[in-house]
Amino acid sequence: MSEQDRWPELTGIGDGLPPPPGREIVREALRRSALTGGRAPSVPRIVRAWELLVMEARVQPVSIWLVSALVMAAGIALMLARPYTAGPVLALLAPLVAGAGIAAAYGPRDDGVAELVAVTPTSPRVILLARMTLVFGYDLLLGLAASVLPSLSPFGPVPAGPFALVMVWLGPTAVISALSLLLSVCWRAEAAAGGALVAWGLYAFSFTGSLTGSFTGWSSWWPRATGPGTIGLALALTLAAVAVAGLGEPFRRPRATNRS
Amino acid sequence: MLARVADGDAEALGELYERHAGPLFGFLYRLAGDRGTAEEILQDTLLAVWRSATTYQGRSSVSTWLFGVARRQAHNRLRGLPPPSAAEPYERADDVPGPEELAVGAGRVQDALVRLPLAQREVVVLAFLCDLGHREISEILGIPPGTVKSRLHHARATLRGVLR
């Protein structure tokens, strides 16, 4: 005797059941999924991150890559011809290229995909980090290449090894890039480029000061080399930019809603 | 098939649905008490399966996992609903019921089921409609088998009261 046989109260529980809905209910569920943010992709996070980077790379202006490469190529040419200039050239060029690149990557008024990005489920912070990773990573690669190539110069020895050269530009590049990013997020690309240029100018003056004996005030506090101070400052600025990126409407864009 | 769903294969979701539609819908229909609500919960279930198929780790059968998902969605929908209107005891022909009198029709069973608390109703439906054992029910509901038995016991007492 089955359990149901011992429960006469439930006799007929399986009778009169309506047939289940047809397969259209699956389509409706999939449509809801698409409209409400889609499903979590089953691919590993690292693959998702890579896919996001690839997609972001596609929507970045070609000029970012081209101009950065050309400027750095000019610097490399100079360093190959005059290897003893490798340190100052890299210390000045790398922050400039990275700062300008970051400003252009996040915040131009004519960002054609901004509206599209705004309605995707991917958060603005993730987009920001992806773009910064792309542009800063690209500039890092250029800087690394430029730090290695001078040692191949036939015109003489380089005053420092590749690692020492990297230490010359990495910290300032990170600080100026992060400052540019913050200004770009808070304000607009033009302001970020201007701010980065001003910061770079002060930085360049600090070199002048150390060379001429003046402006020692600048050089005493300005983060001229890679160290805990410069990296910490860059991280703080970047975190601030990431935090601001997820807050409301950017200052740089016309407001989508009327103020009450 | 669930692995294909986890990989984003919409066709596999359709196949999975066709394979389990009958038992799932029957379970939800008896749980919800009406077709419209059951269909809504079924759609919620498919959406949840589509989004969380990657979390299936093969510790239980696919069917058990699906019932678990459906049961959670049913709780989400039904939890906030007001209790059924005051139960009017079913009248019986005489004071000493025989098996025929107790053998109520499907509609009467449904009316009685909706008067059970949700926790008891789901146990009863899984046991008597879906024909699942206590161990499977305990996996689906995430409760010990002993609790399944006690809920069945209380459910029967409630049903007798309702059908008196």
Side-chain angles (χ1 to χ4, degrees), chain A residues 192-219:
Chain A
L197 197 61
V198 169
W200 180 84
L202 295 173
Y203 168 69
F205 267 130
S206 75
F207 275 85
T208 309
S210 62
L211 290 174
T212 63
S214 57
F215 299 110
T216 49
W218 288 118
S219 57

Side-chain angles (χ1 to χ4, degrees), chain A residues 170-257:
Chain A
L170 185 59
T173 300
V175 171
I176 290 181
S177 298
L179 177 69
S180 176
L181 180 72
L182 182 59
L183 288 172
S184 179
V185 169
C186 291
W187 204 352
R188 59 181 65 169
E190 295 82 356
L197 197 61
V198 169
W200 180 84
L202 295 173
Y203 168 69
F205 267 130
S206 75
F207 275 85
T208 309
S210 62
L211 290 174
T212 63
S214 57
F215 299 110
T216 49
W218 288 118
S219 57
S220 64
W221 64 267
W222 183 254
R224 275 195 34 198
T226 305
T230 49
I231 298 301
L233 180 59
L235 278 177
L237 291 171
T238 304
L239 286 175
V242 171
V244 170
L247 300 175
E249 298 174 51
F251 301 155
R252 66 178 179 275
R253 300 194 193 290
R255 291 186 181 273
T257 50

Side-chain angles (χ1 to χ4, degrees), chain A residues 83-127:
Chain A
Y84 61 87
T85 64
V89 168
L90 272 176
L92 289 173
L93 272 192
L96 184 64
V97 167
I102 293 285
Y106 197 88
R109 277 180 177 277
D110 58 349
D111 186 348
V113 296
E115 198 172 23
L116 202 59
V117 165
V119 298
T120 62
T122 308
S123 85
R125 289 186 173 120
V126 173
I127 297 286

Side-chain angles (χ1 to χ4, degrees), chain A residues 38-51:
Chain A
R39 70 197 294 270
S42 60
V43 293
R45 285 184 178 182
I46 186 75
V47 176
R48 284 161 57 194
W50 173 253
E51 287 175 346

Side-chain angles (χ1 to χ4, degrees), chain A residues 63-74:
Chain A
S63 57
I64 290 182
W65 319 117
L66 203 58
V67 172
S68 300
L70 284 176
V71 171
M72 201 54 93

